[in-house]
């Protein structure tokens, strides 16, 4: 399914409906994860989780 038509509107709609609650939940448990060497990240949408993940785990190899 191609979601390109709605992708531009996702973040503004997310903030309008949920504020920052969904964004906080995306990152909530990253600090509790142990050492990460490899990760498979699926369905990240606009990439905010992946961006935070590579900052928290700079040595990990992330496959997206």
């Amino acid at each position: 399914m191609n979601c390109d038509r709605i992708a531009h509107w996702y973040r503004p709609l997310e903030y309008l409906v949920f504020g920052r609650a969904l964004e906080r939940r995306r990152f909530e448990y990253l600090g509790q994860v142990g050492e990460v060497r490899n990760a498979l990240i699926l369905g990240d949408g606009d990439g905010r989780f992946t961006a935070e993940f590579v900052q928290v785990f700079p040595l990990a190899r992330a496959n997206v």
Side-chain angles (χ1 to χ4, degrees), residues 17-36:
V17 175
F18 299 107
R20 296 278 185 175
L22 288 179
E23 187 168 304
R24 285 192 302 271
R25 295 305 170 266
R26 275 185 199 98
F27 311 137
E28 185 170 0
Y29 297 105
L30 278 179
Q32 296 177 21
V33 175
E35 181 183 342
V36 177

Side-chain angles (χ1 to χ4, degrees), residues 8-56:
H8 175 75
W9 298 104
Y10 183 82
R11 188 184 298 199
L13 287 174
E14 176 186 314
Y15 288 157
L16 179 67
V17 175
F18 299 107
R20 296 278 185 175
L22 288 179
E23 187 168 304
R24 285 192 302 271
R25 295 305 170 266
R26 275 185 199 98
F27 311 137
E28 185 170 0
Y29 297 105
L30 278 179
Q32 296 177 21
V33 175
E35 181 183 342
V36 177
R37 293 184 183 175
N38 295 292
L40 175 62
I41 301 173
L42 301 171
D44 184 26
D46 63 4
R48 285 179 277 170
F49 177 81
T50 302
E52 184 70 16
F53 179 87
V54 298
Q55 285 187 342
V56 174

